[in-house]
Coordinates of all heavy atoms in Angstrom, one line a residue:
M1 N 0.9 -1.2 0.0 CA 0.0 -0.1 0.0 C 0.9 1.2 0.1 O 1.9 1.3 0.7 CB -0.9 0.0 1.3 CG -1.7 1.3 1.2 SD -2.4 1.8 2.9 CE -0.9 2.0 3.9
A2 N 0.4 2.2 -0.7 CA 1.1 3.5 -0.8 C 0.0 4.6 -0.5 O -1.1 4.4 -0.9 CB 1.8 3.7 -2.1
F3 N 0.4 5.7 0.0 CA -0.6 6.7 0.2 C 0.2 8.0 0.2 O 1.4 8.1 0.4 CB -1.4 6.5 1.5 CG -0.5 6.7 2.7 CD1 -0.4 7.9 3.4 CD2 0.1 5.6 3.3 CE1 0.3 7.9 4.5 CE2 0.8 5.7 4.4 CZ 1.1 6.9 5.1
S4 N -0.7 9.1 0.0 CA -0.1 10.5 0.2 C -1.2 11.3 0.9 O -2.4 11.1 0.7 CB 0.1 11.1 -1.2 OG -1.0 11.2 -2.0
V5 N -0.7 12.1 1.7 CA -1.6 13.1 2.5 C -1.1 14.5 2.2 O 0.1 14.8 2.4 CB -1.5 12.9 4.0 CG1 -2.4 13.8 4.7 CG2 -2.0 11.4 4.3
V6 N -1.9 15.3 1.5 CA -1.6 16.6 1.1 C -2.5 17.7 1.7 O -3.7 17.6 1.6 CB -1.5 16.8 -0.5 CG1 -1.1 18.2 -0.9 CG2 -0.7 15.7 -1.1
N7 N -1.9 18.7 2.4 CA -2.7 19.8 2.9 C -2.8 20.8 1.8 O -1.7 21.4 1.3 CB -1.9 20.3 4.1 CG -2.8 21.5 4.8 OD1 -3.7 21.9 4.2 ND2 -2.4 21.8 6.0
L8 N -4.0 20.9 1.4 CA -4.3 21.8 0.2 C -4.5 23.3 0.6 O -4.8 24.2 -0.2 CB -5.4 21.4 -0.6 CG -5.3 20.1 -1.2 CD1 -6.6 19.6 -1.9 CD2 -4.2 20.0 -2.2
G9 N -4.5 23.6 2.0 CA -4.7 24.9 2.5 C -6.2 25.2 2.7 O -7.1 24.4 2.3
S10 N -6.6 26.2 3.5 CA -7.9 26.6 3.8 C -8.7 25.6 4.3 O -9.9 25.4 4.1 CB -8.6 27.1 2.4 OG -7.9 28.2 1.8
G11 N -8.1 24.6 5.1 CA -8.7 23.6 5.9 C -9.1 22.3 5.0 O -9.8 21.5 5.5
V12 N -8.6 22.3 3.8 CA -8.8 21.2 3.0 C -7.5 20.4 2.8 O -6.5 20.8 2.7 CB -9.3 21.6 1.5 CG1 -9.5 20.5 0.6 CG2 -10.5 22.5 1.7
A13 N -7.8 19.0 2.9 CA -6.7 18.0 2.7 C -7.1 17.0 1.7 O -8.3 16.7 1.6 CB -6.3 17.4 4.1
Q14 N -6.2 16.4 1.1 CA -6.4 15.3 0.2 C -5.5 14.1 0.5 O -4.4 14.3 0.8 CB -6.1 15.8 -1.3 CG -6.4 14.7 -2.3 CD -6.1 15.0 -3.7 OE1 -5.0 15.5 -3.9 NE2 -7.0 14.8 -4.6
I15 N -6.2 13.0 0.6 CA -5.5 11.6 0.8 C -5.8 10.7 -0.4 O -7.0 10.7 -0.9 CB -6.2 11.0 2.1 CG1 -6.0 11.9 3.2 CG2 -5.4 9.6 2.3 CD1 -6.8 11.4 4.5
A16 N -4.7 10.2 -0.9 CA -4.9 9.2 -1.9 C -4.3 7.9 -1.4 O -3.1 7.9 -1.0 CB -4.1 9.7 -3.2
I17 N -5.0 6.9 -1.7 CA -4.6 5.4 -1.2 C -4.5 4.5 -2.3 O -5.4 4.5 -3.2 CB -5.5 4.9 -0.1 CG1 -5.7 5.8 1.0 CG2 -5.1 3.5 0.3 CD1 -6.8 5.4 2.0
E18 N -3.4 3.8 -2.5 CA -3.2 2.9 -3.6 C -2.8 1.5 -3.0 O -2.2 1.3 -2.0 CB -1.9 3.4 -4.3 CG -1.5 2.6 -5.5 CD -0.3 3.2 -6.2 OE1 -0.1 4.5 -6.1 OE2 0.3 2.5 -6.9
G19 N -3.3 0.5 -3.8 CA -3.0 -0.9 -3.5 C -4.1 -1.5 -2.5 O -5.3 -1.4 -2.9
Q20 N -3.7 -2.0 -1.3 CA -4.7 -2.7 -0.5 C -4.7 -2.0 0.9 O -3.7 -1.5 1.4 CB -4.1 -4.2 -0.2 CG -4.2 -4.9 -1.5 CD -3.9 -6.4 -1.2 OE1 -4.4 -6.9 -0.3 NE2 -3.0 -7.0 -2.0
L21 N -5.9 -1.9 1.4 CA -6.1 -1.3 2.8 C -6.6 -2.4 3.6 O -7.9 -2.7 3.5 CB -7.0 0.0 2.7 CG -7.2 0.6 4.0 CD1 -5.8 1.1 4.6 CD2 -8.1 1.9 3.9
D22 N -5.8 -3.1 4.3 CA -6.3 -4.2 5.1 C -5.5 -4.4 6.4 O -4.8 -3.4 6.8 CB -6.0 -5.5 4.3 CG -4.5 -5.7 3.8 OD1 -3.7 -5.1 4.4 OD2 -4.5 -6.5 2.9
H23 N -5.7 -5.4 7.1 CA -5.2 -5.6 8.4 C -3.6 -5.4 8.4 O -3.1 -5.0 9.4 CB -5.5 -7.0 9.0 CG -4.8 -8.1 8.3 ND1 -5.3 -8.6 7.1 CD2 -3.8 -8.9 8.6 CE1 -4.5 -9.6 6.7 NE2 -3.6 -9.8 7.6
A24 N -3.0 -5.7 7.3 CA -1.5 -5.6 7.3 C -1.0 -4.2 7.1 O 0.1 -4.0 7.3 CB -1.0 -6.6 6.2
T25 N -1.9 -3.4 6.4 CA -1.5 -2.1 6.1 C -2.0 -0.9 6.8 O -1.4 0.2 6.8 CB -1.7 -1.8 4.6 OG1 -3.1 -1.9 4.4 CG2 -1.0 -2.8 3.7
I26 N -3.0 -1.1 7.6 CA -3.8 0.0 8.3 C -2.8 0.6 9.4 O -2.9 1.8 9.5 CB -5.1 -0.4 9.0 CG1 -4.9 -1.4 9.9 CG2 -6.1 -0.6 7.9 CD1 -6.3 -1.7 10.8
S27 N -1.8 -0.2 9.9 CA -1.0 0.4 10.9 C -0.1 1.5 10.4 O 0.4 2.3 11.1 CB -0.1 -0.7 11.6 OG 0.7 -1.3 10.6
V28 N 0.1 1.5 9.0 CA 1.0 2.5 8.3 C 0.2 3.8 8.2 O 0.6 4.9 8.4 CB 1.5 2.0 7.0 CG1 2.3 3.0 6.3 CG2 2.4 0.7 7.2
L29 N -1.1 3.7 7.9 CA -1.9 4.9 7.6 C -2.5 5.5 8.8 O -2.7 6.7 8.8 CB -3.0 4.5 6.6 CG -4.0 5.5 6.1 CD1 -3.1 6.7 5.4 CD2 -5.0 5.0 5.1
R30 N -2.8 4.7 9.8 CA -3.5 5.3 10.9 C -2.8 6.5 11.6 O -3.5 7.4 11.9 CB -3.8 4.1 11.9 CG -4.5 4.6 13.2 CD -4.8 3.5 14.0 NE -6.0 2.8 13.6 CZ -6.1 1.5 13.5 NH1 -5.0 0.7 13.8 NH2 -7.2 0.9 13.1
P31 N -1.5 6.4 11.8 CA -0.8 7.5 12.5 C -0.9 8.8 11.6 O -1.0 9.9 12.2 CB 0.6 7.1 12.7 CG 0.6 5.5 12.5 CD -0.6 5.2 11.6
E32 N -0.9 8.6 10.3 CA -1.0 9.8 9.5 C -2.4 10.4 9.5 O -2.6 11.6 9.4 CB -0.7 9.5 8.1 CG 0.8 9.2 7.8 CD 1.6 10.3 8.1 OE1 1.3 11.4 7.7 OE2 2.6 10.1 8.8
L33 N -3.4 9.5 9.6 CA -4.8 10.1 9.7 C -5.0 10.8 11.1 O -5.7 11.8 11.2 CB -5.8 9.0 9.6 CG -5.9 8.3 8.2 CD1 -6.9 7.2 8.2 CD2 -6.1 9.3 7.0
S34 N -4.4 10.2 12.1 CA -4.4 10.9 13.4 C -3.7 12.2 13.4 O -4.2 13.3 14.0 CB -3.7 10.1 14.4 OG -4.5 8.9 14.6
R35 N -2.6 12.3 12.7 CA -1.8 13.6 12.6 C -2.7 14.6 11.9 O -2.8 15.8 12.2 CB -0.5 13.4 11.9 CG 0.3 14.6 11.7 CD 1.6 14.4 10.8 NE 1.1 14.1 9.5 CZ 0.7 15.0 8.6 NH1 0.6 16.2 8.9 NH2 0.5 14.6 7.4
L36 N -3.4 14.1 10.8 CA -4.2 15.0 10.0 C -5.4 15.6 10.9 O -5.7 16.7 10.8 CB -4.8 14.3 8.8 CG -5.7 15.1 7.8 CD1 -5.0 16.3 7.3 CD2 -6.2 14.2 6.7
L37 N -6.0 14.7 11.7 CA -7.1 15.1 12.5 C -6.7 16.2 13.4 O -7.5 17.1 13.8 CB -7.7 13.9 13.2 CG -8.5 13.0 12.4 CD1 -8.9 11.7 13.3 CD2 -9.9 13.7 12.0
R38 N -5.4 16.2 14.0 CA -4.9 17.2 14.9 C -4.9 18.5 14.2 O -4.9 19.6 14.9 CB -3.6 16.9 15.4 CG -3.7 15.8 16.4 CD -2.4 15.5 17.2 NE -1.3 15.1 16.4 CZ -1.0 13.9 16.0 NH1 -1.7 12.9 16.5 NH2 0.1 13.7 15.4
L39 N -4.8 18.6 12.9 CA -4.9 19.9 12.1 C -6.3 20.4 11.9 O -6.4 21.5 11.5 CB -4.2 19.8 10.8 CG -2.7 19.3 10.8 CD1 -2.3 19.0 9.4 CD2 -1.9 20.4 11.4
R40 N -7.3 19.6 12.4 CA -8.7 20.0 12.3 C -9.1 20.5 10.9 O -9.7 21.6 10.8 CB -9.0 21.1 13.4 CG -8.7 20.6 14.7 CD -9.1 21.4 15.9 NE -10.6 21.7 15.9 CZ -11.3 20.7 16.6 NH1 -10.8 19.7 17.1 NH2 -12.6 20.9 16.6
P41 N -9.0 19.6 9.9 CA -9.4 20.1 8.6 C -11.0 20.2 8.5 O -11.7 19.5 9.2 CB -8.9 18.9 7.6 CG -8.9 17.8 8.5 CD -8.5 18.4 9.8
T42 N -11.5 21.1 7.6 CA -12.9 21.2 7.5 C -13.4 20.3 6.5 O -14.6 20.0 6.4 CB -13.2 22.7 7.0 OG1 -12.5 23.0 5.9 CG2 -12.9 23.6 8.2
R43 N -12.5 19.8 5.4 CA -12.9 18.8 4.4 C -11.7 18.1 4.1 O -10.5 18.5 3.9 CB -13.4 19.6 3.1 CG -13.9 18.6 2.2 CD -14.5 19.2 1.0 NE -13.5 19.4 0.0 CZ -13.2 20.4 -0.8 NH1 -13.9 21.5 -0.7 NH2 -12.3 20.4 -1.6
V44 N -11.9 16.8 3.9 CA -10.9 15.8 3.5 C -11.4 15.1 2.2 O -12.5 14.5 2.3 CB -10.5 14.8 4.5 CG1 -9.5 13.8 4.0 CG2 -10.0 15.4 5.8
D45 N -10.7 15.2 1.2 CA -11.0 14.6 -0.1 C -10.2 13.2 -0.2 O -9.0 13.2 -0.1 CB -10.6 15.4 -1.3 CG -11.5 16.7 -1.4 OD1 -12.6 16.7 -0.8 OD2 -11.0 17.7 -1.8
L46 N -10.9 12.1 -0.2 CA -10.3 10.8 -0.2 C -10.4 10.2 -1.5 O -11.4 9.9 -2.0 CB -11.0 9.9 0.8 CG -10.4 8.4 1.1 CD1 -8.9 8.6 1.5 CD2 -11.2 7.8 2.2
D47 N -9.1 10.1 -2.2 CA -9.1 9.5 -3.6 C -8.8 8.0 -3.5 O -7.7 7.6 -3.0 CB -8.1 10.2 -4.4 CG -7.9 9.7 -5.8 OD1 -8.5 8.8 -6.2 OD2 -6.9 10.2 -6.4
L48 N -9.8 7.2 -3.9 CA -9.6 5.8 -3.8 C -9.5 5.2 -5.3 O -9.8 3.9 -5.4 CB -10.7 5.2 -3.0 CG -10.9 5.7 -1.6 CD1 -12.1 5.1 -0.9 CD2 -9.6 5.3 -0.8
S49 N -9.2 5.9 -6.3 CA -9.2 5.5 -7.5 C -8.1 4.4 -7.8 O -8.3 3.5 -8.7 CB -8.9 6.5 -8.6 OG -7.7 7.3 -8.3
R50 N -7.1 4.3 -7.0 CA -6.1 3.2 -7.1 C -6.1 2.3 -6.0 O -5.2 1.4 -5.9 CB -4.7 4.0 -7.0 CG -4.4 4.9 -8.3 CD -3.1 5.4 -8.4 NE -2.8 6.1 -9.6 CZ -1.7 6.6 -9.9 NH1 -0.7 6.5 -9.1 NH2 -1.5 7.1 -11.1
L51 N -7.1 2.3 -5.2 CA -7.3 1.2 -4.2 C -7.9 0.0 -4.8 O -9.0 0.1 -5.4 CB -8.3 1.7 -3.1 CG -8.5 0.8 -1.9 CD1 -7.2 0.6 -1.2 CD2 -9.6 1.4 -1.0
R52 N -7.2 -1.1 -4.7 CA -7.7 -2.4 -5.4 C -8.4 -3.3 -4.4 O -9.3 -4.0 -4.9 CB -6.4 -3.1 -5.9 CG -5.7 -2.5 -7.0 CD -4.6 -3.5 -7.5 NE -3.8 -4.2 -6.6 CZ -2.7 -3.7 -6.1 NH1 -2.2 -2.6 -6.4 NH2 -2.0 -4.6 -5.1
R53 N -8.2 -3.2 -3.1 CA -8.8 -4.1 -2.2 C -8.9 -3.4 -0.9 O -7.9 -2.8 -0.5 CB -8.1 -5.5 -2.1 CG -8.7 -6.4 -1.2 CD -8.1 -7.8 -1.5 NE -8.6 -8.8 -0.6 CZ -9.8 -9.1 -0.3 NH1 -10.8 -8.8 -1.1 NH2 -10.1 -10.0 0.5
I54 N -10.0 -3.7 -0.2 CA -10.1 -3.2 1.2 C -10.8 -4.4 2.1 O -11.7 -5.0 1.5 CB -11.0 -1.9 1.3 CG1 -10.9 -1.3 2.7 CG2 -12.4 -2.1 0.7 CD1 -11.5 0.1 2.8
D55 N -10.4 -4.5 3.3 CA -11.1 -5.5 4.1 C -11.8 -4.9 5.2 O -11.9 -3.7 5.3 CB -10.0 -6.6 4.7 CG -9.1 -6.1 5.7 OD1 -9.2 -4.9 6.1 OD2 -8.2 -7.0 6.2
T56 N -12.4 -5.6 6.1 CA -13.3 -5.1 7.2 C -12.5 -4.2 8.1 O -13.0 -3.1 8.6 CB -14.0 -6.2 8.0 OG1 -13.0 -7.0 8.5 CG2 -14.9 -6.9 7.1
R57 N -11.3 -4.4 8.4 CA -10.4 -3.6 9.2 C -10.1 -2.3 8.5 O -10.1 -1.2 9.2 CB -9.1 -4.2 9.6 CG -9.4 -5.4 10.6 CD -8.1 -6.0 11.1 NE -8.4 -7.2 11.9 CZ -7.5 -8.0 12.3 NH1 -6.3 -7.7 12.2 NH2 -7.9 -9.0 13.0
G58 N -9.9 -2.3 7.2 CA -9.8 -1.0 6.5 C -10.9 -0.2 6.5 O -10.9 1.0 6.7
V59 N -12.1 -0.9 6.3 CA -13.4 -0.2 6.4 C -13.5 0.5 7.7 O -13.9 1.6 7.9 CB -14.5 -1.1 5.9 CG1 -15.9 -0.4 6.2 CG2 -14.4 -1.4 4.5
G60 N -13.3 -0.4 8.7 CA -13.4 0.1 10.2 C -12.6 1.4 10.4 O -13.0 2.3 11.1
M61 N -11.4 1.4 9.9 CA -10.5 2.5 10.1 C -10.9 3.7 9.4 O -11.0 4.8 9.9 CB -9.0 2.2 9.6 CG -8.1 3.3 10.0 SD -6.5 3.1 9.1 CE -7.0 3.4 7.4
L62 N -11.5 3.6 8.2 CA -12.1 4.7 7.5 C -13.3 5.2 8.1 O -13.5 6.5 8.3 CB -12.3 4.4 6.0 CG -11.0 4.2 5.1 CD1 -11.6 3.8 3.7 CD2 -10.2 5.3 5.1
L63 N -14.2 4.4 8.6 CA -15.3 4.8 9.3 C -15.0 5.5 10.7 O -15.6 6.6 11.0 CB -16.2 3.6 9.7 CG -17.0 3.1 8.5 CD1 -17.7 1.8 8.9 CD2 -18.0 4.0 7.9
G64 N -14.0 5.0 11.4 CA -13.5 5.7 12.7 C -12.9 7.1 12.2 O -13.2 8.1 13.0
F65 N -12.2 7.3 11.1 CA -11.7 8.5 10.7 C -12.9 9.5 10.4 O -12.9 10.6 10.8 CB -10.8 8.3 9.6 CG -10.3 9.6 9.0 CD1 -9.2 10.4 9.7 CD2 -10.7 10.0 7.7 CE1 -8.8 11.6 9.1 CE2 -10.3 11.3 7.2 CZ -9.3 12.1 7.9
L66 N -13.8 8.9 9.6 CA -15.0 9.8 9.3 C -15.7 10.3 10.6 O -16.1 11.4 10.6 CB -16.0 9.0 8.4 CG -17.3 9.6 8.2 CD1 -17.2 10.8 7.5 CD2 -18.2 8.6 7.3
E67 N -15.9 9.3 11.5 CA -16.6 9.7 12.8 C -15.8 10.8 13.5 O -16.3 11.8 14.0 CB -16.7 8.5 13.7 CG -17.5 8.8 14.9 CD -17.6 7.5 15.7 OE1 -17.8 6.5 15.3 OE2 -17.6 7.7 17.0
N68 N -14.5 10.7 13.6 CA -13.7 11.7 14.3 C -13.7 13.0 13.6 O -13.7 14.1 14.2 CB -12.3 11.2 14.4 CG -12.2 10.1 15.5 OD1 -12.9 10.0 16.4 ND2 -11.2 9.1 15.2
L69 N -13.7 13.0 12.2 CA -13.6 14.2 11.4 C -15.0 14.8 11.6 O -15.0 16.1 11.7 CB -13.4 13.8 9.9 CG -13.4 15.0 9.0 CD1 -12.2 15.9 9.2 CD2 -13.3 14.4 7.5
A70 N -16.1 14.1 11.5 CA -17.4 14.7 11.6 C -17.6 15.3 13.1 O -18.2 16.4 13.2 CB -18.5 13.6 11.4
D71 N -17.0 14.6 14.1 CA -17.1 15.2 15.5 C -16.5 16.6 15.5 O -16.8 17.4 16.4 CB -16.4 14.2 16.5 CG -17.3 13.0 16.8 OD1 -18.4 12.9 16.4 OD2 -16.6 12.1 17.4
Q72 N -15.4 16.8 14.7 CA -14.8 18.1 14.7 C -15.5 19.1 13.7 O -14.9 20.1 13.5 CB -13.4 18.0 14.2 CG -12.5 17.1 15.1 CD -11.0 17.0 14.6 OE1 -10.7 17.4 13.5 NE2 -10.3 16.3 15.4
G73 N -16.5 18.6 13.0 CA -17.2 19.5 12.2 C -16.7 19.5 10.7 O -17.1 20.3 9.8
G74 N -15.9 18.5 10.3 CA -15.3 18.3 9.1 C -16.1 17.4 8.2 O -17.0 16.7 8.7
Q75 N -15.9 17.4 6.9 CA -16.6 16.6 6.0 C -15.7 15.6 5.1 O -14.5 16.1 4.9 CB -17.4 17.5 4.9 CG -18.5 18.3 5.6 CD -19.3 19.0 4.5 OE1 -18.6 19.5 3.5 NE2 -20.5 19.3 4.9
L76 N -16.1 14.5 4.8 CA -15.2 13.6 4.0 C -15.9 13.4 2.7 O -17.2 13.2 2.6 CB -15.1 12.2 4.7 CG -14.2 11.2 4.0 CD1 -12.9 11.6 4.0 CD2 -14.4 9.8 4.7
T77 N -15.2 13.5 1.6 CA -15.7 13.2 0.2 C -14.9 12.1 -0.3 O -13.6 12.0 -0.1 CB -15.7 14.4 -0.8 OG1 -14.2 14.8 -0.8 CG2 -16.4 15.5 -0.2
L78 N -15.5 11.1 -1.0 CA -14.9 10.0 -1.6 C -14.9 10.1 -3.1 O -16.0 10.5 -3.6 CB -15.5 8.7 -1.1 CG -15.7 8.3 0.2 CD1 -16.4 7.0 0.4 CD2 -14.2 8.1 0.8
S79 N -13.8 9.7 -3.7 CA -13.8 9.7 -5.2 C -13.1 8.5 -5.7 O -12.2 8.0 -5.0 CB -13.1 11.1 -5.8 OG -11.8 11.1 -5.4
G80 N -13.4 8.2 -6.9 CA -12.6 7.1 -7.6 C -13.0 5.7 -7.1 O -12.3 4.8 -7.5
L81 N -14.0 5.5 -6.4 CA -14.4 4.1 -5.9 C -14.6 3.2 -7.1 O -15.5 3.6 -8.0 CB -15.5 4.1 -5.0 CG -15.2 4.4 -3.5 CD1 -16.4 4.7 -2.7 CD2 -14.4 3.2 -2.9
R82 N -14.1 2.0 -7.1 CA -14.4 1.1 -8.2 C -14.1 -0.3 -7.7 O -13.5 -0.6 -6.7 CB -13.6 1.3 -9.5 CG -12.2 1.3 -9.3 CD -11.5 1.8 -10.5 NE -10.0 1.9 -10.2 CZ -9.2 0.9 -10.6 NH1 -9.6 -0.2 -11.1 NH2 -7.8 0.9 -10.3
D83 N -14.5 -1.3 -8.4 CA -14.2 -2.8 -8.2 C -14.6 -3.2 -6.8 O -15.6 -2.8 -6.3 CB -12.8 -3.0 -8.5 CG -12.4 -2.7 -10.0 OD1 -13.4 -2.8 -10.9 OD2 -11.3 -2.3 -10.2
Q84 N -13.7 -3.9 -6.2 CA -14.1 -4.6 -4.9 C -14.3 -3.5 -3.8 O -15.3 -3.5 -3.0 CB -13.0 -5.4 -4.4 CG -13.3 -6.3 -3.2 CD -12.6 -5.7 -1.9 OE1 -11.9 -4.6 -1.9 NE2 -12.9 -6.3 -0.8
P85 N -13.6 -2.3 -3.8 CA -13.7 -1.3 -2.8 C -15.2 -0.7 -2.9 O -15.8 -0.5 -1.9 CB -12.6 -0.3 -2.9 CG -11.6 -1.1 -3.4 CD -12.2 -2.1 -4.4
L86 N -15.6 -0.5 -4.1 CA -16.9 0.0 -4.4 C -18.0 -0.9 -3.8 O -18.9 -0.4 -3.1 CB -17.1 0.3 -5.9 CG -18.5 0.8 -6.2 CD1 -18.9 2.1 -5.5 CD2 -18.6 1.0 -7.8
E87 N -17.9 -2.2 -4.1 CA -18.8 -3.2 -3.7 C -19.0 -3.2 -2.1 O -20.0 -3.4 -1.6 CB -18.5 -4.5 -4.2 CG -18.6 -4.6 -5.8 CD -20.0 -4.1 -6.3 OE1 -21.0 -4.5 -5.8 OE2 -20.0 -3.4 -7.2
I88 N -17.8 -3.1 -1.4 CA -17.8 -3.1 0.0 C -18.5 -1.9 0.6 O -19.3 -1.9 1.5 CB -16.3 -3.2 0.5 CG1 -15.7 -4.6 0.1 CG2 -16.3 -3.1 2.0 CD1 -16.4 -5.9 0.7
I89 N -18.1 -0.8 0.1 CA -18.7 0.6 0.5 C -20.2 0.6 0.3 O -21.0 1.1 1.1 CB -18.0 1.7 -0.1 CG1 -16.5 1.8 0.2 CG2 -18.6 3.1 0.3 CD1 -16.3 2.0 1.7
K90 N -20.7 0.1 -0.9 CA -22.1 -0.1 -1.1 C -22.9 -0.8 0.0 O -24.1 -0.6 0.3 CB -22.4 -0.8 -2.4 CG -22.2 0.2 -3.6 CD -22.5 -0.7 -4.8 CE -22.4 0.0 -6.1 NZ -22.6 -0.8 -7.3
L91 N -22.1 -1.8 0.7 CA -22.8 -2.6 1.7 C -23.1 -1.8 3.0 O -23.9 -2.1 3.8 CB -22.1 -3.8 2.0 CG -21.9 -4.8 0.8 CD1 -20.9 -5.9 1.2 CD2 -23.3 -5.4 0.5
I92 N -22.3 -0.8 3.2 CA -22.4 0.1 4.4 C -23.7 0.9 4.5 O -24.1 1.5 3.7 CB -21.1 0.9 4.6 CG1 -19.9 -0.1 4.7 CG2 -21.2 1.8 5.8 CD1 -18.7 0.7 4.7

């Protein structure tokens, strides 16, 4: 898994995730999401166009991030969902 977190300014950040988001990779991304939350963004754009696979732990981590972001008054937008990740997100 590879990812990038970019602060676009004005309270907006962009995260792009590539590869797999699963039990083996969430420990790499979780600290970066926590760091981002400390900046209190008003909007986070999550680009999942290169995400090939996500498991329940990956979904749980994203839902936890969404909940924490919403508690701070921020919004999350998703883009690029396709294939297996799209099917999993549709189930939620």
Side-chain angles (χ1 to χ4, degrees):
M1 177 200 60
F3 66 90
S4 64
V5 179
V6 178
N7 186 347
L8 301 175
S10 300
V12 178
Q14 182 181 48
I15 302 169
I17 302 174
E18 180 178 339
Q20 296 187 47
L21 185 56
D22 57 20
H23 70 282
T25 60
I26 62 173
S27 62
V28 176
L29 183 57
R30 182 176 280 129
E32 290 300 316
L33 296 180
S34 294
R35 184 188 62 77
L36 179 59
L37 284 171
R38 287 192 297 273
L39 298 174
R40 302 187 66 82
T42 56
R43 189 179 87 222
V44 175
D45 298 327
L46 184 55
D47 177 3
L48 300 176
S49 60
R50 293 184 171 184
L51 182 66
R52 292 188 320 267
R53 182 160 171 71
I54 189 168
D55 72 2
T56 56
R57 290 185 188 173
V59 171
M61 186 191 67
L62 290 181
L63 287 174
F65 176 74
L66 171 60
E67 182 179 327
N68 290 327
L69 182 64
D71 287 347
Q72 295 178 357
Q75 296 179 330
L76 180 69
T77 60
L78 300 176
S79 64
L81 274 168
R82 60 187 176 91
D83 302 328
Q84 188 264 359
L86 175 60
E87 295 305 315
I88 296 297
I89 296 298
K90 282 181 182 179
L91 294 174
I92 297 174

